[in-house]
Amino acid sequence: MSQQPERRNAEGPAADSLESEDRAEGSRRDRRRARRAARRARRRALPWWRRAVPTWRMVVGALLTLLLLGLAGFVTLYLIVPVPDPNTRAVAQSNVYYYADGTTELARTGTVNRQDVPIRQIPLDTQHAVVSAEDRSFYRNKGVDLRGMARAAWNTATGKGTQGGSTITQQYVKNYYLTQDQTLSRKVKELFIALKVDQRQSKDEILQGYLNTSYFGRNAYGVQTAAKAYYGVDVSRLTVGQGAYLAALLQAPSAFDVKTATPVNRDRALARWNYVLDGMVSLGFLDPAARAATSFPEPVDPQPVTGLGGQAGYLVEIAESYLTGNDVLDAATLKAGGWRITTTFDKARQDAFVQAVRDELTSELDPAARPGTDTDVRVSGASVEPGTGRLVAAYGGPDYARQQYNDALRQDNQVGSTFKPFDLAAGLEGGRTQDGRPITTQTVYDGSTRRPVTGGPTAYAPPNEDDVDYGSVTLRYAMVKSVNSVYAQEGVDAGLARVRDTAVRLGLPATTPGMDPANTSMTLGTATPSAVDLAAAYAALANHGQAYAPRAVLRLERSSGYADLPELPAPTAREAVGRGTADAVTDVLQDVIAPGGTGARALGLRRPAAGKTGTTDSNRSAWFAGYTPELATVVGLFRENPLTHAKESLAGTAGYGRINGGAFPTQIWTAYMTAALRGTPVRQFDLRPGRGNTQPTGAASATATPTASAPAGPSGTPTSGESPGRTPVATLSPSRLPSRSPSGTQSGSGSPTATGPAVPPSRSPSPGAGEGTSRAPSPAAGRELPDAAEARAPGSPSGPPPTPQR
């Protein structure tokens, strides 16, 4: 016992101190345990219902635990919830097509009627109106507004109406990244994505996205289409009152459309509009005086969305074909939408084309009375500016909503004699007859019907229309009368490969079916180019041999977020044929539009014009291609079985036994061109034809005496001095080219004056009227053939009835 004190004393004061602390700590633990035990004892002594009420310690502990768990969950969700890619519908936009003026809307395509615009194009007043209407704390909050959410929940709970507490950022996230589903998971995602978006994007970017994705009613997604739908203006031109009304619509787009709303909803819409303006004043966005002066801007009546009905679908298809065919855009990029496309189409001229078809053809058809001939009649057409290549009008069918196949682009109708100018141009570009003479417009050929072609790759002996024998005629006269036997031989003399190459250089695609130099018949128009391509080729002749590729788009624009716009092909002229050649062809084609020419009905234009008719075998298509100095237009007519797509004869259409290029196609062409050029100055052709193409180069003489048998000699009697396979070549005594006036009169030294009718008969073609309208009078022996064809006007008392020429 005596050793214990000695050991403590040996350890010293430090050991005593630690021992004291241990005792004190143990004492405190004991006391705490005792207190807890006492509390438990007291609580057990309480009645059961009192024990069910938690103590303040329990409440505080639970709250702290929940707070910590909530904070941990919030941080976890913030980290794991990603900002997703935009949903498909949010980025879907319309492609908006405009006429050439850049303001008149042609059509919209796409499943969502939306056109995104950058924030800089949206008036500041409209931006502020939307902030006032939807989120007055927008410029201060961090993407969410907890007080606003709590206030909305309270108002909903207390019966003040269902209200949303979502900020503009949250609504933008819902529109752009998520869906409209009313689920808890979507709301949670919306909250966290909104916080992240607010950190990553500026307020202007968020507001721009919100305004471009919000629905405003009238099938208008985004503020640009809403401005068009309600006020018919571009968003940049919205007034303060108009912007405030669009902002008011966001709460209830359909109910607040004052043009269709019930009286109660109209009052609510006006109240909402006033609420928006008052908010702009309270936020400092609008001066009170300006607010007081603002009156409600009545929107326009609801209009149907500009769709693809009528001609719109055909024109859009032509524009899209131009963009994809020239590798400006691929089909997928174009389909994605968001493009503003200004086309080359002139609305007035487009409307004139449609009206011309209705007036000159459709009004003459009676499918009920003539179901076997007046049904399935179709028209293709195109109109091109010679000096620019702009496609200013086209006719693809009666209505894209009923017939979606675009006849202006199809390549399955033979063009017949409208191909003969290419034969002539190829010959003038260095071709020679088989006895070595240079080919000019005055070169004389044997126009006997069914005369076998010499030197062709395949046997060919084409008949002239109605088997008429024309005797020895110049290429000029043969063009005026569309003599098949002459141009079949001339094309072979020029060289079929050269003919094909000339047609391609002028504008027909090299892939055009029916242009095979291995077939002699190519010379008479077995080719099947589209109306657009044929019009472009004729435009090159009008432009003195300078060809432009036809173009259908002037400008291509994109909404914000697309920095590098693809470039459109630059309009570039290329020399297809020499000017002397092109002008010589034009000079000849002017004689086609003359009282004795197959295109006589085009005299109704009362302007200098050149052109060529065309009719194919079995009367399965009929064409007129013509031009003035400022416009080239092609009109094609055909019938097609809508089920089998087999071509049907035009014979009997509108009650006439035969339809050729000089009938309905020429009448449509004349009516359209008259309207298209109305109010513009009358322009003369500035022609500089190559040497030898207007004046004879030798002393030999020849005549042009069509008969029903053998070729006629100078005296008008049949001759037998030339074998059928020989191509006769002769030149004529000099004579001056007749001068032409817009009215169609011709005069000149050495040629008679022929005055055509002021206006050719309209919509009353006699059976077969048009090509080959009359025979030329038989010249006396030794008489020289004038430079321009001598022919009677349609309806001359002598000669056979008018017949078409293939």
Side-chain angles (χ1 to χ4, degrees):
M1 294 295 293
S2 60
Q3 293 178 352
Q4 294 297 332
E6 291 178 359
R7 191 163 40 249
R8 284 196 299 269
N9 292 336
E11 292 175 354
D16 292 339
S17 176
L18 289 173
E19 204 171 289
S20 299
E21 290 178 5
D22 288 341
R23 286 196 298 271
E25 180 64 26
S27 178
R28 283 194 294 271
R29 282 198 301 270
D30 292 341
R31 287 195 296 272
R32 283 197 298 272
R33 289 172 182 160
R35 285 196 296 271
R36 283 197 297 271
R39 284 197 299 271
R40 285 195 294 270
R42 287 195 300 270
R43 188 169 183 78
R44 283 194 296 270
L46 293 173
W48 66 267
W49 55 268
R50 180 68 182 81
R51 292 197 303 271
V53 178
T55 65
W56 67 270
R57 290 184 177 85
M58 296 170 64
V59 171
V60 171
L63 289 177
L64 287 174
T65 301
L66 289 174
L67 180 62
L68 290 173
L69 289 174
L71 182 60
F74 182 89
V75 172
T76 301
L77 287 173
Y78 184 85
L79 293 175
I80 66 174
V81 173
V83 177
D85 293 330
N87 65 64
T88 303
R89 190 171 180 83
V91 296
Q93 298 183 57
S94 300
N95 285 329
V96 186
Y97 294 81
Y98 294 89
Y99 283 100
D101 60 11
T103 58
T104 305
E105 191 170 309
L106 168 61
R108 287 174 180 259
T109 62
T111 57
V112 177
N113 184 28
R114 175 188 290 114
Q115 184 181 3
D116 286 355
V117 290
I119 193 69
R120 64 178 179 275
Q121 290 185 18
I122 304 172
L124 199 57
D125 287 329
T126 301
Q127 299 177 39
H128 291 160
V130 171
V131 170
S132 173
E134 295 297 303
D135 181 9
R136 295 185 178 181
S137 69
F138 172 68
Y139 290 111
R140 302 190 308 272
N141 64 49
K142 298 299 182 182
V144 297
D145 182 3
L146 297 179
R147 286 189 301 175
M149 295 172 66
R151 182 173 58 252
W154 174 257
N155 288 337
T156 301
T158 55
K160 295 182 180 179
T162 302
Q163 297 183 20
S166 297
T167 63
I168 283 177
T169 307
Q170 287 175 272
Q171 294 180 64
Y172 163 56
V173 166
K174 178 178 65 175
N175 294 340
Y176 193 69
Y177 296 105
L178 302 174
T179 67
Q180 304 298 315
D181 296 338
Q182 297 297 323
T183 62
L184 179 61
S185 62
R186 198 270 297 163
K187 292 293 291 184
V188 171
K189 289 180 181 178
E190 175 189 301
L191 179 69
F192 288 100
I193 295 172
L195 291 170
K196 289 187 176 182
V197 167
D198 186 77
Q199 294 297 313
R200 299 178 185 181
Q201 298 181 21
S202 68
K203 292 295 186 181
D204 279 351
E205 290 173 325
I206 294 170
L207 188 57
Q208 172 183 298
Y210 174 67
L211 287 171
N212 281 325
T213 56
S214 296
Y215 182 62
F216 289 82
R218 296 192 181 184
N219 196 37
Y221 289 84
V223 68
Q224 169 73 333
T225 51
K228 294 279 190 179
Y230 287 92
Y231 293 105
V233 299
D234 188 86
V235 65
S236 61
R237 297 174 57 193
L238 287 173
T239 65
V240 174
Q242 292 170 343
Y245 178 60
L246 294 185
L249 284 168
L250 289 167
Q251 187 181 65
S254 299
F256 285 177
D257 186 342
V258 296
K259 289 296 184 180
T260 58
T262 63
V264 172
N265 280 342
R266 179 181 173 88
D267 291 342
R268 291 175 59 201
L270 293 177
R272 181 69 175 176
W273 177 75
N274 283 299
Y275 166 81
V276 172
L277 290 174
D278 291 341
M280 293 175 69
V281 173
S282 66
L283 292 172
F285 295 145
L286 184 64
D287 183 75
R291 161 69 181 96
T294 303
S295 57
F296 181 73
E298 285 287 339
V300 299
D301 291 332
Q303 302 292 321
V305 176
T306 311
L308 298 179
Q311 293 296 304
Y314 304 122
L315 303 185
V316 166
E317 186 177 351
I318 292 171
E320 290 182 347
S321 177
Y322 174 81
L323 291 172
T324 56
N326 286 282
D327 296 325
V328 178
L329 295 173
D330 59 58
T333 304
L334 186 60
K335 187 178 180 180
W339 298 98
R340 176 190 171 101
I341 301 165
T342 302
T343 69
T344 58
F345 301 112
D346 181 285
K347 188 176 189 308
R349 288 175 170 176
Q350 182 62 41
D351 293 344
F353 215 141
V354 174
Q355 193 63 43
V357 173
R358 290 174 180 169
D359 291 347
E360 302 300 328
L361 175 65
T362 309
S363 63
E364 294 291 309
L365 301 178
D366 190 346
R370 295 182 291 270
T373 59
D374 283 18
T375 55
D376 310 331
V377 181
R378 297 166 74 156
V379 175
S380 61
S383 191
V384 174
E385 285 183 350
T388 65
R390 290 185 180 184
L391 185 60
V392 298
Y395 190 88
D399 185 348
Y400 191 78
R402 294 189 288 114
Q403 176 200 301
Q404 295 187 3
Y405 199 91
N406 194 336
D407 292 331
L409 294 177
R410 66 187 306 154
Q411 291 184 316
D412 60 352
N413 287 307
Q414 293 183 350
V415 295
S417 292
T418 58
F419 195 82
K420 287 174 181 172
F422 307 142
D423 297 329
L424 179 59
L428 299 181
E429 285 281 279
R432 289 181 175 272
T433 63
Q434 297 205 357
D435 61 359
R437 293 176 180 263
I439 295 176
T440 74
T441 63
Q442 299 303 110
T443 300
V444 174
Y445 278 84
D446 183 356
S448 302
T449 187
R450 301 184 187 274
R451 191 186 70 78
V453 174
T454 301
T458 57
Y460 194 40
N464 296 327
E465 190 67 37
D466 293 332
D467 272 334
V468 173
D469 282 324
Y470 284 91
S472 297
V473 293
T474 63
L475 287 175
R476 176 184 293 275
Y477 186 88
M479 185 72 75
V480 172
K481 292 300 181 182
S482 202
V483 183
N484 288 342
S485 58
V486 168
Y487 275 93
Q489 184 65 60
E490 185 274 339
V492 169
D493 291 353
L496 295 180
R498 185 198 298 268
V499 171
R500 182 186 187 279
D501 182 59
T502 300
V504 170
R505 285 187 283 114
L506 283 167
L508 300 193
T511 56
T512 301
M515 283 204 306
D516 185 1
N519 294 321
T520 309
S521 60
M522 183 190 79
T523 57
L524 299 187
T526 58
T528 60
S530 69
V532 172
D533 292 327
L534 188 60
Y538 270 69
L541 294 174
N543 196 37
H544 312 294
Q546 298 293 308
Y548 283 89
R551 56 190 183 121
V553 176
L554 288 178
R555 236 176 2 262
L556 186 64
E557 300 167 282
R558 178 72 171 177
S559 59
S560 60
Y562 203 98
D564 298 325
L565 289 173
E567 293 186 2
L568 294 170
T572 304
R574 67 183 188 283
E575 184 175 292
V577 295
R579 175 165 186 164
T581 295
D583 287 0
V585 173
T586 296
D587 185 66
V588 170
L589 295 184
Q590 285 187 95
D591 287 346
V592 174
I593 303 177
T598 60
R601 281 193 172 87
L603 286 169
L605 181 60
R606 301 175 182 271
R607 288 172 179 259
K612 184 69 188 78
T613 53
T615 310
T616 60
D617 288 339
S618 302
N619 207 183
R620 292 187 178 179
S621 64
W623 296 81
F624 185 76
Y627 52 91
T628 63
E630 59 270 73
L631 196 60
T633 300
V634 165
V635 178
L637 185 67
F638 63 99
R639 291 184 66 222
E640 179 179 281
N641 186 299
L643 298 179
T644 65
H645 301 290
K647 296 297 186 295
E648 301 171 336
S649 175
L650 289 167
T653 299
Y656 301 121
R658 185 165 56 194
I659 302 298
N660 54 43
F664 287 123
T666 304
Q667 290 172 203
I668 294 170
W669 183 93
T670 305
Y672 161 71
M673 292 287 282
T674 299
L677 298 176
R678 183 175 292 122
T680 64
V682 175
R683 290 178 55 186
Q684 304 291 330
F685 285 108
D686 177 21
L687 301 182
R688 304 172 194 172
R691 185 174 182 180
N693 287 311
T694 58
Q695 299 293 335
T697 58
S701 64
T703 60
T705 309
T707 69
S709 57
S715 64
T717 60
T719 62
S720 59
E722 296 174 348
S723 65
R726 173 104 185 269
T727 304
V729 178
T731 54
L732 307 175
S733 298
S735 61
R736 297 186 60 82
L737 182 70
S739 62
R740 301 174 180 84
S741 68
S743 64
T745 59
Q746 299 185 20
S747 62
S749 132
S751 63
T753 300
T755 304
V759 181
S762 176
R763 291 185 310 221
S764 57
S766 58
E771 294 189 62
T773 51
S774 64
R775 295 180 183 177
S778 298
R783 182 178 176 188
E784 295 175 349
L785 190 68
D787 185 61
E790 291 182 333
R792 291 189 177 90
S796 297
S798 63
T803 57
Q805 183 66 47
R806 290 188 182 91

